[in-house]
Amino acid sequence: MLVTSAYRPIPSDWTYRRLSRVMQPAADICKIFGNECKDTWSGCHTLRSYLLPVNQNVEEAAADACPSERMGGEEREGVMATDFFWSYTDEPHASRRRQILSQYPQIKELFGPDPFAFLKITVVVMLQLWTASFLHNAGWLKILTVAYFFGSFLNHNLFLAIHELSHNLAFSTPVYNRWLGIFANLPIGVPMSVTFQKYHLEHHRFQGVDGIDMDIPSHTEAHVVTNVLTKSIWVVLQLFFYALRPLFLNPKPPGLWEFTNLVIQISLDATMVYYWGWKSFAYLILSTFVGGGMHPMAGHFISEHYIFKPEQETYSYYGPLNLLTWSVGYHNEHHDFPRISGSKLYKVKEIAPEYYEGFKSYKSWSQVIYMYVMDQTVGPFSRMKRKASMILD
């Protein structure tokens, strides 16, 4: 795959040869890239973004099929896509990683675990479990208030610690990271650490690949979530969709580690209920639920890969909440270098700024949630996908 001077991937010669066999009249070209033009502009825009300006004939054909989508024209306002964006190139991060390392080999010195990860996780786990025990006799309003304004930040921090551990960024020995992940899982209340790792690594390796990357909403979600009300409900419940989607669309048989995660988590939950009562356990569950919904910390679920700028599929966030989220906001940097711990990701941008300064980025996750809900052109279909057959060929 080639990379332009603006670091945007363009198709390989193989892609052009393959497309040349299916190039039909202009209207069919847009269908190849996802949609009929009358239904959505995403297909034409994908064509425009990834084939142009290499083939002027293709550009003219696409412009004829989608007159409102000529280069330099305005995209149609107020129209939500009815299909995903489709890319016929590889995901952009592997090629950019090779290019950056060839120019800045010193970045390899950043690879490896965070020596303070164990300490940071232990402090948050202990603080959250203590808070839960402290609230065993509190009223429900107080429990909900503390869960939203305090516990949610702790549990979301632990969720992203588990994300960090899925990349083996606490210890050099993978099994130690897995045990620490199960420990970090305890205040979350629901066993998810081991299962998350399986699906998350596929998200990196097969970013956007249809049927494999479970970070992308299902067609059912996308067809139902089409307006401000349904998008608001989807945001509130997005943690459920995020957790349950893989079990329906790409189920994997559980193994010994999932069973271990389940037994230890149920043991902690039962102990919490036995000694401190259901309110303490409810506080933990509420902290997880509200922290993954309409909450500033949860904005990263949307900001990372939802397309607000059609030629870009991964976005970084450079705001203060990175301090509480293992710097997951540095998401372009993270996908480019998943072996670098969150505490060092900012150094990647400092060393190679020209690779990141041209990208759209965010400074507020709350603003991202607001834009997602209120923008009539953005919804669950606002994600980049790739055909599995292209990856396997």
Side-chain angles (χ1 to χ4, degrees), residues 212-332:
I212 300 178
D213 185 358
M214 291 294 102
D215 190 67
I216 297 177
S218 66
H219 274 86
T220 301
E221 293 171 65
H223 283 297
V224 171
V225 180
T226 57
N227 54 52
V228 172
L229 176 61
T230 53
K231 284 195 285 186
S232 298
I233 295 172
W234 185 89
V235 169
V236 171
L237 301 176
Q238 67 179 321
L239 201 59
F240 288 100
F241 292 108
Y242 193 84
L244 297 177
R245 187 186 303 132
L247 303 181
F248 288 96
L249 301 183
N250 187 19
K252 299 179 183 296
L256 178 61
W257 278 106
E258 282 90 348
F259 179 75
T260 302
N261 193 181
L262 174 66
V263 170
I264 292 176
Q265 187 63 56
I266 291 177
S267 299
L268 182 279
D269 295 345
T271 300
M272 180 67 66
V273 173
Y274 182 81
Y275 285 101
W276 290 283
W278 285 100
K279 286 187 174 181
S280 292
F281 176 65
Y283 163 76
L284 296 179
I285 297 298
L286 283 171
S287 295
T288 299
F289 172 69
V290 298
M294 196 72 76
H295 189 280
M297 295 275 274
H300 75 90
F301 287 127
I302 298 172
S303 73
E304 292 167 356
H305 297 290
Y306 280 80
I307 294 176
F308 288 85
K309 183 178 180 181
E311 59 268 23
Q312 183 178 333
E313 64 180 281
T314 304
Y315 302 76
S316 289
Y317 156 84
Y318 302 124
L321 286 179
N322 276 315
L323 296 173
L324 301 177
T325 57
W326 300 80
S327 294
V328 74
Y330 286 82
H331 215 66
N332 262 306

Side-chain angles (χ1 to χ4, degrees), residues 40-343:
T40 177
W41 52 267
S42 66
C44 295
H45 204 112
T46 304
L47 171 68
R48 188 180 71 190
S49 298
Y50 288 94
L51 285 184
L52 309 181
V54 178
N55 190 326
Q56 183 64 28
N57 292 332
V58 173
E59 178 180 359
E60 293 174 355
D64 290 339
C66 306
S68 63
E69 287 306 302
R70 293 179 184 271
M71 294 295 289
E74 293 293 325
E75 292 149 2
R76 289 191 293 169
E77 297 182 357
V79 178
M80 183 176 291
T82 57
D83 194 7
F84 296 100
F85 293 82
W86 288 93
S87 171
Y88 286 79
T89 69
D90 294 333
E91 56 85 14
H93 301 287
S95 60
R96 187 160 62 237
R97 175 166 57 250
R98 290 190 294 268
Q99 188 172 358
I100 293 175
L101 287 177
S102 68
Q103 188 173 351
Y104 301 104
Q106 67 268 36
I107 284 181
K108 290 184 178 179
E109 298 175 5
L110 303 176
F111 289 7
D114 177 354
F116 299 105
F118 176 80
L119 177 61
K120 290 187 284 188
I121 290 171
T122 300
V123 169
V124 176
V125 169
M126 293 295 102
L127 178 58
Q128 182 69 321
L129 293 179
W130 177 85
T131 304
S133 65
F134 178 78
L135 294 172
H136 70 283
N137 281 327
W140 286 108
L141 180 59
K142 181 178 181 180
I143 290 173
L144 180 59
T145 302
V146 176
Y148 188 87
F149 291 102
F150 181 71
S152 57
F153 289 90
L154 298 183
N155 274 14
H156 210 97
N157 173 277
L158 292 172
F159 175 81
L160 293 170
I162 290 170
H163 166 264
E164 191 90 341
L165 295 169
S166 71
H167 293 285
N168 297 319
L169 291 174
F171 301 105
S172 298
T173 304
V175 69
Y176 296 163
N177 291 277
R178 187 161 290 187
W179 280 115
L180 185 56
I182 293 174
F183 175 69
N185 197 156
L186 294 177
I188 293 175
V190 179
M192 48 73 64
S193 174
V194 176
T195 303
F196 172 83
Q197 181 182 30
K198 285 185 175 181
Y199 289 102
H200 182 68
L201 295 181
E202 288 186 342
H203 164 63
H204 275 264
R205 185 178 179 185
F206 302 104
Q207 180 175 318
V209 176
D210 190 26
I212 300 178
D213 185 358
M214 291 294 102
D215 190 67
I216 297 177
S218 66
H219 274 86
T220 301
E221 293 171 65
H223 283 297
V224 171
V225 180
T226 57
N227 54 52
V228 172
L229 176 61
T230 53
K231 284 195 285 186
S232 298
I233 295 172
W234 185 89
V235 169
V236 171
L237 301 176
Q238 67 179 321
L239 201 59
F240 288 100
F241 292 108
Y242 193 84
L244 297 177
R245 187 186 303 132
L247 303 181
F248 288 96
L249 301 183
N250 187 19
K252 299 179 183 296
L256 178 61
W257 278 106
E258 282 90 348
F259 179 75
T260 302
N261 193 181
L262 174 66
V263 170
I264 292 176
Q265 187 63 56
I266 291 177
S267 299
L268 182 279
D269 295 345
T271 300
M272 180 67 66
V273 173
Y274 182 81
Y275 285 101
W276 290 283
W278 285 100
K279 286 187 174 181
S280 292
F281 176 65
Y283 163 76
L284 296 179
I285 297 298
L286 283 171
S287 295
T288 299
F289 172 69
V290 298
M294 196 72 76
H295 189 280
M297 295 275 274
H300 75 90
F301 287 127
I302 298 172
S303 73
E304 292 167 356
H305 297 290
Y306 280 80
I307 294 176
F308 288 85
K309 183 178 180 181
E311 59 268 23
Q312 183 178 333
E313 64 180 281
T314 304
Y315 302 76
S316 289
Y317 156 84
Y318 302 124
L321 286 179
N322 276 315
L323 296 173
L324 301 177
T325 57
W326 300 80
S327 294
V328 74
Y330 286 82
H331 215 66
N332 262 306
E333 295 84 345
H334 168 62
H335 271 264
D336 289 350
F337 298 99
R339 294 173 61 190
I340 297 178
S341 65
S343 61

